[in-house]
Amino acid sequence: MDLLNTLVEKGLRRELPTREEALAVLATSDDELLDVVAAAGKVRRKWFGRRVKLNYLVNLKSGLCPEDCSYCSQRLGSKAEILKYTWLKPDEASKAAAAGVAGGAKRVCLVASGRGPTDRDVDRVSKTIEAIKEQNEGIEVCACLGLLSDGQAERLREAGADAYNHNLNTSEATYGAITTTHTYADRVETVRQAHAAGMSACSGLIAGMGESDADLVDVVFSLRELDPDSVPVNFLIPFEGTPLAKEWHLTPQRCLRILAMTRFVCPDVEVRLAGGREVHLRTLQPLALEIANSIFLGDYLTSEGQEGKADLAMIADAGFEVEGAGESTLPAHRADVAAASTASTGGCGGHAGGGGCGPCGDGGAEAAAPAAGGCGSAGVCGTAATEAPVPAGVGSAETGASGQAAPGEVRSDLVAVRRRGTGTDLPPNA
């Protein structure tokens, strides 16, 4: 296809495609899907080889959020049956993080529900960052605490945070229909504050909320303009008890097209395969690794992920390798910019010489399978949580008498949203 040849050439030059080209990727047919994946894979391999970066979530504070984000099981008024707890102590969070590090994760993402941190919360998280780094030499730490107030980004950076995550989620035009308690502009400003403080900016999207192709292109183009180092691509997990519980719009094929479009628009950025991959990509997850160069290992904030052992096997079977501690995540031209930024703000200093965020990791050249009790092991990540009731309409997707759906049809009957740890004594995401 001339379109794909053009997009590959632009991606290799780090040139922005046109909006029409990005929309055309989303409009390709299933017959063209493997060609789309192969084209995006050429761009991915140019900038990231066959490495896969592993990231691990630690949910520091769960539920009880005053914001009304429609997609979130922790939102104001949510009836989703999830674990709810207040702040973990630094040693508890460090212990949870160790499970991910044992599985090969080189970045730990510390997440807390809420509109944004108080100054006291920043103190808490700063102590947690210090505890994690003391016990896991070289590990990257990313904070995700909501909207930041003046000076908080600088304080987190001084405490050792390497990155800050705050997703745009959807287009500016549709943001008000998803969330009313804060604005799209608030999110953009927080990403800019993190960048200005010398942290690596991480910002992405959620697909599958009923948005149009134009909305998807809009948010990815906005992300390109913000220039984060990593772009997580989430696929909506329709939690029962939230306003979007019945929003099942995604097929594995559409997910791959969304990932490919993101890669073409952000060719040299860490594209992270994030929440919902197991639910919506299902058996096509290995194909997604041809496009994305980063994944989350183990569970998510309030839902189960794939077992860590299964993730490591998938990476190996697909011919990829886990990114090690001595390897740079970012291409040299981006890493040099990151190095200059961290040097000027008193950063970790590990980015010199084009190191990017890679040398700050500690995944090891060969990530070992988690030990018993670690990430993905029996009874911990991915096996002990009870299954939530399937959202209304799930299991009744339009199927024929044989129970088989037509090609390309949404199959919400294939999965149930699994809540992490509900009704158990499991430690948070450990």
Side-chain angles (χ1 to χ4, degrees):
M1 294 175 64
D2 290 342
L3 167 67
L4 296 180
N5 290 334
T6 298
L7 288 170
V8 170
E9 291 172 1
K10 287 186 173 183
L12 299 182
R13 298 194 300 263
R14 294 185 287 138
E15 181 180 335
L16 182 68
T18 66
R19 288 182 55 84
E20 291 71 23
E21 289 166 340
L23 286 166
V25 173
L26 297 177
T28 53
S29 69
D30 286 351
D31 288 342
E32 300 165 318
L33 182 62
L34 288 180
D35 293 330
V36 172
V37 172
K42 290 180 181 177
V43 178
R44 180 245 202 266
R45 289 190 296 276
K46 162 67 177 178
W47 302 113
F48 300 97
R50 299 193 69 80
R51 305 186 311 277
V52 178
K53 181 177 181 178
L54 301 183
N55 309 269
Y56 190 72
L57 285 168
V58 176
N59 200 2
L60 295 179
K61 181 166 74 78
S62 182
L64 309 174
C65 183
E67 303 299 287
D68 68 353
C69 306
S70 299
Y71 51 82
C72 185
S73 60
Q74 305 181 77
R75 73 188 295 272
L76 177 69
S78 171
K79 292 179 173 57
E81 297 181 10
I82 61 170
L83 288 173
K84 297 176 183 178
Y85 51 86
T86 190
W87 290 93
L88 296 186
K89 295 178 180 178
D91 60 332
E92 294 172 327
S94 183
K95 183 178 179 180
V101 176
K106 63 187 295 182
R107 172 172 286 189
V108 172
C109 303
L110 302 176
V111 188
S113 62
R115 178 179 178 85
T118 65
D119 287 341
R120 184 181 179 187
D121 294 336
V122 172
D123 288 339
R124 285 192 182 102
V125 176
S126 295
K127 292 176 182 176
T128 297
I129 293 170
E130 292 168 4
I132 289 173
K133 291 207 163 189
E134 282 177 4
Q135 297 182 35
N136 302 280
E137 183 180 355
I139 198 73
E140 293 178 23
V141 175
C142 177
C144 178
L145 312 174
L147 302 173
L148 294 174
S149 302
D150 290 346
Q152 290 183 332
E154 288 77 10
R155 289 176 59 196
L156 289 168
R157 188 71 192 96
E158 290 169 4
D162 301 286
Y164 195 85
N165 166 262
H166 201 59
N167 295 329
L168 297 187
N169 290 329
T170 192
S171 69
E172 184 173 14
T174 59
Y175 194 83
I178 298 297
T179 305
T180 66
T181 47
H182 59 266
T183 67
Y184 181 89
D186 290 333
R187 287 187 170 267
V188 170
E189 177 58 24
T190 286
V191 177
R192 287 177 173 160
Q193 285 184 32
H195 230 156
M199 289 186 285
S200 174
C202 174
S203 187
L205 64 143
I206 304 173
M209 297 191 289
E211 69 283 333
S212 67
D213 285 2
D215 290 322
L216 287 169
V217 170
D218 281 349
V219 67
V220 176
F221 269 62
S222 295
L223 289 166
R224 164 88 182 223
E225 184 176 351
L226 276 178
D227 196 30
D229 290 324
S230 57
V231 175
V233 180
N234 298 276
F235 302 107
L236 177 70
I237 302 177
F239 258 95
E240 187 159 289
T242 67
L244 299 184
K246 298 181 181 180
E247 299 293 319
W248 293 86
H249 301 290
L250 298 171
T251 64
Q253 295 85 357
R254 179 157 176 80
C255 291
L256 289 171
R257 292 187 192 97
I258 292 168
L259 284 167
M261 184 271 289
T262 304
R263 173 57 73 197
F264 289 131
V265 176
C266 304
D268 59 340
V269 166
E270 176 192 339
V271 174
R272 187 179 306 167
L273 189 56
R277 64 178 167 96
E278 301 88 348
V279 173
H280 296 292
L281 279 160
R282 300 190 287 278
T283 58
L284 294 194
Q285 288 183 74
L287 272 182
L289 294 178
E290 297 288 343
I291 305 170
N293 63 294
S294 179
I295 66 171
F296 280 108
L297 183 71
D299 292 345
Y300 302 99
L301 297 179
T302 62
S303 63
E304 289 184 11
Q306 186 165 280
E307 284 192 353
K309 290 180 181 178
D311 282 337
L312 296 175
M314 177 180 71
I315 291 168
D317 289 348
F320 293 90
E321 60 185 18
V322 172
E323 187 173 284
E327 296 177 284
S328 169
T329 297
L330 298 175
H333 60 273
R334 292 190 69 89
D336 289 341
V337 173
S341 176
T342 53
S344 66
T345 56
C348 65
H351 304 297
C357 287
C360 290
D362 192 27
E366 296 182 2
C375 171
S377 62
V380 184
C381 288
T383 58
T386 57
E387 290 196 1
V390 181
V394 175
S396 59
E398 295 81 357
T399 58
S402 65
Q404 297 298 313
E409 188 173 305
V410 175
R411 289 297 304 274
S412 55
D413 60 313
L414 291 178
V415 295
V417 175
R418 299 188 303 179
R419 299 165 297 167
R420 179 176 60 78
T422 301
T424 75
D425 294 326
L426 291 179
N429 208 26

